[in-house]
Amino acid sequence: ILADIYLEAGKKEEAETALRNAVHDLPDDWQLKQRLVRFLSQQKGAEAAEKEIQTYMQAHPDHPELYFWLAELYLNHNQTDKALALLE
């Protein structure tokens, strides 16, 4: 994927743009959206990834797996209490 090439070249902004363009072009590709969330988590932190997930949740309330994405994000950033509260 183009984003990987940009990341290897140290071009994080271009990598993010490539991922966002791919998500825009393939709006039904949930794996691609999850890849963008993981990218944001790793490159920009939990807050950026959380915001992206919440945007998806608002636009697609019929996708309960988004709650698991959010819980995974919290766990990956050592926010266990938030993950447990969300899943309860």
Side-chain angles (χ1 to χ4, degrees):
I1 188 166
L2 182 58
D4 293 331
I5 295 169
Y6 281 130
L7 271 180
E8 288 179 22
K11 297 181 177 187
K12 293 178 186 179
E13 291 301 316
E14 290 86 346
E16 181 180 349
T17 298
L19 281 169
R20 288 191 180 281
N21 288 342
V23 166
H24 179 266
D25 292 344
L26 300 166
D28 295 328
D29 189 332
W30 287 92
Q31 288 181 330
L32 193 55
K33 289 177 182 181
Q34 189 173 31
R35 185 176 177 139
L36 173 59
V37 166
R38 288 183 177 152
F39 170 87
L40 292 171
S41 174
Q42 294 168 354
Q43 301 298 322
K44 293 195 168 188
E47 189 175 312
E50 181 180 33
K51 183 179 175 183
E52 192 71 22
I53 294 170
Q54 289 173 342
T55 299
Y56 297 150
M57 290 172 133
Q58 289 175 354
H60 304 280
D62 57 330
H63 285 274
E65 68 272 11
L66 294 170
Y67 290 94
F68 293 106
W69 292 11
L70 193 54
E72 177 185 34
L73 172 70
Y74 292 150
L75 290 172
N76 288 340
H77 287 274
N78 298 316
Q79 298 174 351
T80 307
D81 292 343
K82 286 178 87 171
L84 289 173
L86 175 69
L87 294 174
E88 289 178 346

